Amino acid sequence: MHLDDHAASWRDQLIELSLPGVGAVTARVDDGSPAVEASEDEPGFRRREPTVPPARETVRRTLAARPPLELEHTWLVVPALGPVLPVEEGVRLVGDLSGLRPPVEVRGESALPARPSREGAEVGAPIGAPRRRPLSPRWGWFRVPAVAAALRARGGIVGRGALVGPRREWFEPAVATREDLLGAHPDQALESALAVARELGQVAVLRIGPDGLDVHPTGADPRVPVLEGLPLQVTARPAQCPLQGEDGCGPCRPVGGPWIRASQEAQLDWEARRAQAVGMLGCGVCFGEALPPEPDQPQVPRLAEATPVTHLGRLHLRGGGSVQIDPLIRPR
């Protein structure tokens, strides 16, 4: 991913949180440009299309149509994502022909063993060893419990949520805490949050509130920009499908299917993104459960059942790629 693209993602992302005393909210930088109106479709029967990431303008238009919400307090948002590995060459995709489950990944015979990240190697992940579930959230990819515990230990109440791509194409877990409860002075609270972020391998702390959006890098990733005083648009977030860019939408529909390899890859990609979104933000449409197709729809594979977020083996990140979980594990 290009350096400028990565920096822009910290300005364009959505911040979706469930805050104590406030509720579920969505925040984004308000650049002042009007949302483009949607063109009216001609009346008549239209089949429901597969659920792909919505256009950026669709997401912006939906947020602009919601009543604005004013945050009374300032919140510090700490990302909570651990290290991951790119998908290596030689991965073969196999579909369950029954359509009851999504395709699964298997390693081809000629594939090279996965190499752990530098951080993984430092804590004892052996090269070429089979992947195992991390023993502690402090060392796994999903570090929400560890970040939340560290903030709570410093006196802050916490809310949970995710940083989301502007097209809802990627999701990163995040934890928020109220600034005035974390420290007596805003600078003191920010230093506490930055200390937690550095300790748990995070790249930045975001500050959202009445004064707008600030992004404070920890120095762990040089691509993260310093942003201060950006105008912030905050709205209540209704219970809805986290994958689709419109409120009041119906159940999403899988992409691909268990037929040719391209269809298997498409469905695996879709299932990974859906599992990640539902695991971090929940869904008020299907509630994470498998649903049959609508009566007027052709038969398509059923949605996979909700997967515990810590059991996800494949993620979509802001860089645009799909990754497998790093075999990161503490030494015995």
Side-chain angles (χ1 to χ4, degrees):
M1 188 179 188
H2 193 273
L3 178 63
D4 294 340
D5 295 337
H6 189 283
S9 71
W10 286 88
R11 180 188 181 95
D12 297 340
Q13 67 192 350
L14 310 176
I15 306 169
E16 302 206 322
L17 302 164
S18 294
L19 301 177
V22 179
V25 302
T26 299
R28 66 175 294 273
V29 172
D30 185 3
D31 57 12
S33 60
V36 177
E37 294 295 329
S39 58
E40 293 293 333
D41 294 334
E42 294 183 2
F45 175 78
R46 184 165 58 92
R47 291 197 181 277
R48 181 163 51 92
E49 298 296 328
T51 303
V52 296
R56 183 176 302 205
E57 284 302 321
T58 300
V59 177
R60 291 180 64 247
R61 184 174 62 248
T62 299
L63 297 180
R66 295 178 185 171
L69 179 69
E70 194 150 335
L71 291 177
E72 181 180 356
H73 300 283
T74 297
W75 295 80
L76 298 174
V77 183
V78 181
L81 182 68
V84 290
L85 276 180
V87 174
E88 59 278 270
E89 295 294 331
V91 170
R92 188 162 51 91
L93 305 177
V94 178
D96 173 12
L97 298 182
S98 69
L100 297 178
R101 294 183 301 174
V104 297
E105 288 180 348
V106 298
R107 192 182 310 281
E109 294 180 357
S110 61
L112 296 175
R115 295 182 61 87
S117 67
R118 182 178 63 183
E119 184 180 3
E122 287 176 354
V123 297
I127 296 176
R131 287 186 174 85
R132 293 176 290 177
R133 297 295 177 196
L135 298 179
S136 166
R138 189 180 185 85
W139 301 105
W141 74 268
F142 187 69
R143 299 190 172 177
V144 167
V147 174
L151 292 174
R152 198 178 289 115
R154 286 166 168 79
I157 61 173
V158 298
R160 302 185 180 190
L163 307 179
V164 183
R167 299 180 56 227
R168 299 190 172 277
E169 72 275 33
W170 51 262
F171 302 84
E172 296 179 359
V175 179
T177 185
R178 243 175 68 175
E179 181 183 73
D180 60 325
L181 299 180
L182 191 63
H185 188 276
D187 291 344
Q188 179 186 1
L190 177 61
E191 284 304 317
S192 293
L194 284 169
V196 170
R198 293 190 191 99
E199 179 185 354
L200 293 168
Q202 302 309 307
V203 298
V205 171
L206 293 80
R207 175 187 268 156
I208 61 173
D211 297 329
L213 167 71
D214 301 333
V215 176
H216 299 273
T218 63
D221 188 339
R223 298 173 298 177
V224 181
V226 176
L227 301 175
E228 294 183 339
L230 298 181
L232 195 66
Q233 176 195 18
V234 183
T235 67
R237 178 168 60 89
Q240 61 173 10
C241 174
L243 290 179
Q244 304 181 64
E246 297 179 326
D247 295 340
C249 53
C252 51
R253 179 185 174 192
V255 176
W259 302 290
I260 61 175
R261 174 166 179 158
S263 293
Q264 295 168 8
E265 291 176 346
Q267 185 172 348
L268 180 63
D269 185 77
W270 181 85
E271 287 288 0
R273 189 167 65 93
R274 175 181 178 270
Q276 195 173 346
V278 172
M280 294 183 195
L281 296 174
C283 180
V285 178
C286 70
F287 304 99
E289 299 300 326
L291 293 175
E294 296 176 0
D296 62 341
Q297 296 291 331
Q299 291 296 312
V300 295
R302 295 165 59 96
L303 306 185
E305 294 182 358
T307 304
V309 67
T310 54
H311 292 174
L312 300 185
R314 186 183 181 102
L315 305 178
H316 291 263
L317 302 182
R318 68 174 67 229
S322 179
V323 298
Q324 289 179 342
I325 303 306
D326 192 330
L328 185 64
I329 190 167
R330 296 177 63 183
R332 294 187 181 276

